[in-house]
Amino acid sequence: MASHQPSSLPLLLLTVLALLISPAQSLTCTSQTFTNNALYAHCLDLTQLTAYLHWTHDQANSSLSIAFIATPANSGGWVAWAINPTATGMKGSQTLLAFLSDGVMTVKTYNISSIGPITESKLSFEVWDLRAEQSGGVMRIFAKVKVPENAVTVNQVWQVGSSVTGGVPEAHAMQAANLNSKSTLNFNGGQTETPGGDSRTKKKNIHGVLNVVSWGILFPMGAIIARYLRTFESAAPAWFYLHVFCQISAYAIGVAGWGTGLKLGSESRGIQFTGHRNIGIALFCLATVQIFALFLRPKKDHKYRFYWNVYHHALGYAILVLGILNIFKGYDILLPAKKWKSAYIIVIIVLGAIALLLEAITWIVVLRRKSSKSTKPYDGFNNGEGRQ
Ligand SMILES: *[C@@H]1O[C@H](CO)[C@@H](O)[C@H](O)[C@H]1NC(C)=O
Ligand SMILES: *[C@@H]1O[C@H](CO)[C@@H](O)[C@H](O)[C@H]1NC(C)=O
């Protein structure tokens, strides 16, 4: 059983990465123009659902002229933009909703007071010049609305749905993006995200940081140390202690992160991120078994050592892949600012590059060693493990 087959670790990291990087969304509101040459003072790439808002605030008239652009979840679906004068979420939203009705774009207003079927109604403020259009699957709502005098911000909510039945828009999906599609619109430009609450946001951030550091960074580092440093005779036994130190720290931090995740899950009513949760639980179990591997390790020349090696490595790679996968699932749930996901992708690329480089170097070292002592083949697993 040769451990030095070209590849596994760097390839693994790169494959996981390739699967996770979604195609970049290059379209931004600044490149969008309107058929009627309408010009707006500001525009925003909204934080969710690939939607855009263009607007001009007329302070003298206390009015807001908007163009909302989004793609319905399905070709027979709908798009909506709302101001919520009383709260930050959907409940209380004064909504402009557009859909295709017999081939004609229709836009209606809804006062949404609760979850459930909605009926057309007047809004709590004046709306005029209301119209909608669509082209290439993208829908646009144009409107002018009255806003409170001297207001500088409003709570906005937007949404996309997949179907309309008999002129009534059907409920939208309940994915994270559908639930987080709200922000505070600042008339002078910009938006501020409005999540569920400050303490909860803080908890989510702690959960994210702990898990990224543990499963996402320390754990792969420990694996790289174990796989590559032991090739260098001078690195024994240091590599072994470094590996153990990395993985035990990763485990301790990971368990803390896991705990915060369970707490968040139990507090999140109505929404369950089953995949993320199950992978999290699997990770905790695998990592716990892996920690026990340390105590169950047979002596180097024991006949069961080979099986121990197989088990330890298989578990290690499984944790590596699942850990990184779950971090990206977590990013998609918490949706932090893009820079955090980008930063982590860079970390993974750097770790992958280091692994690739070390893979090449260790191959050279191993091949040289083989050719100089052709009678004693290199044994990847048992070389210099701490108690030579
Ligand atoms: C000012 O607001 C009123 C509605 O309150 C509207 O009818 C009018 O067109 C607005 N004027 C401008 C210049 O937008
Ligand atoms: C919107 O609905 C709520 C709850 O049913 C009601 O209290 C409110 O007066 C309605 N607003 C308008 C403008 O009809």
Side-chain angles (χ1 to χ4, degrees):
M1 165 112 191
S3 83
H4 269 278
Q5 314 223 311
S7 74
S8 26
L9 190 53
L11 245 182
L12 215 62
L13 283 172
L14 291 176
T15 314
V16 170
L17 192 69
L19 287 172
L20 292 168
I21 301 177
S22 45
Q25 284 163 359
S26 55
L27 194 66
T28 62
C29 71
T30 46
S31 64
Q32 291 165 343
T33 53
F34 298 95
T35 48
N36 56 356
N37 288 323
L39 284 178
Y40 294 89
H42 305 279
C43 82
L44 266 184
D45 303 324
L46 297 176
T47 52
Q48 311 289 338
L49 301 171
T50 324
Y52 310 91
L53 187 78
H54 297 253
W55 82 95
T56 303
H57 179 223
D58 181 350
Q59 195 161 10
N61 201 33
S62 305
S63 63
L64 193 64
S65 171
I66 63 114
F68 171 73
I69 303 176
T71 309
N74 232 325
S75 58
W78 52 265
V79 305
W81 180 83
I83 287 181
N84 191 335
T86 49
T88 57
M90 166 176 147
K91 224 172 164 180
S93 287
Q94 305 297 303
T95 308
L96 316 174
L97 190 148
F99 54 88
L100 209 51
S101 172
D102 296 327
V104 182
M105 273 310 283
T106 313
V107 52
K108 293 180 177 177
T109 58
Y110 298 84
N111 167 20
I112 296 174
S113 48
S114 61
I115 295 176
I118 55 175
T119 49
E120 200 179 349
S121 54
K122 278 197 152 341
L123 301 187
S124 63
F125 45 76
E126 255 181 290
V127 183
W128 65 99
D129 291 352
L130 184 59
R131 64 185 185 87
E133 60 179 41
Q134 73 124 26
S135 59
V138 177
M139 292 182 175
R140 296 174 199 83
I141 298 176
F142 300 92
K144 293 189 177 114
V145 299
K146 208 80 191 171
V147 291
E149 237 176 273
N150 301 324
V152 184
T153 63
V154 286
N155 298 321
Q156 62 171 344
V157 187
W158 62 97
Q159 197 55 263
V160 300
S162 61
S163 62
V164 177
T165 311
V168 180
E170 301 270 7
H172 57 80
M174 290 289 177
Q175 300 295 311
N178 300 91
L179 300 169
N180 291 321
S181 54
K182 54 189 176 182
S183 67
T184 304
L185 175 67
N186 188 320
F187 293 159
N188 302 318
Q191 64 187 328
T192 318
E193 282 186 67
T194 47
D198 267 0
S199 83
R200 210 170 142 68
T201 308
K202 207 167 164 188
K203 268 190 224 161
K204 287 176 177 174
N205 291 343
I206 292 174
H207 170 73
V209 169
L210 288 177
N211 285 301
V212 167
V213 167
S214 147
W215 310 103
I217 299 175
L218 274 179
F219 193 84
M221 268 171 54
I224 288 173
I225 289 169
R227 180 168 170 84
Y228 299 112
L229 291 194
R230 70 162 147 221
T231 310
F232 307 101
E233 266 148 13
S234 55
W239 78 262
F240 178 73
Y241 294 114
L242 255 175
H243 173 64
V244 170
F245 173 77
C246 252
Q247 304 320 53
I248 287 183
S249 322
Y251 181 72
I253 299 170
V255 167
W258 187 71
T260 56
L262 287 188
K263 184 94 187 7
L264 280 170
S266 72
E267 285 170 1
S268 142
R269 254 162 263 149
I271 331 164
Q272 275 196 344
F273 301 102
T274 325
H276 183 68
R277 182 172 175 270
N278 291 347
I279 295 179
I281 292 172
L283 267 174
F284 171 77
C285 297
L286 289 175
T288 304
V289 172
Q290 191 73 312
I291 290 292
F292 277 108
L294 185 65
F295 303 109
L296 298 177
R297 193 172 60 142
K299 286 221 159 54
K300 221 166 64 182
D301 37 16
H302 195 283
K303 60 179 172 175
Y304 289 140
R305 179 59 178 254
F306 169 78
Y307 299 103
W308 182 89
N309 282 336
V310 172
Y311 135 84
H312 186 63
H313 290 112
L315 236 55
Y317 284 133
I319 294 171
L320 192 72
V321 171
L322 288 179
I324 294 173
L325 183 76
N326 222 22
I327 283 171
F328 280 94
K329 275 188 175 288
Y331 275 117
D332 290 343
I333 292 169
L334 292 192
L335 296 159
K338 266 196 190 119
K339 62 181 174 192
W340 296 114
K341 190 169 172 179
S342 309
Y344 182 60
I345 289 175
I346 291 170
V347 168
I348 292 288
I349 290 175
V350 169
L351 286 177
I354 291 174
L356 208 59
L357 185 72
L358 288 173
E359 184 79 32
I361 295 174
T362 46
W363 260 99
I364 294 167
V365 170
V366 168
L367 291 179
R368 278 217 183 123
R369 210 173 279 164
K370 253 186 195 162
S371 64
S372 66
K373 310 182 239 176
S374 56
T375 47
K376 191 185 169 235
Y378 169 73
D379 178 350
F381 280 140
N382 298 331
N383 186 16
E385 252 181 51
R387 37 192 160 126
Q388 196 88 20

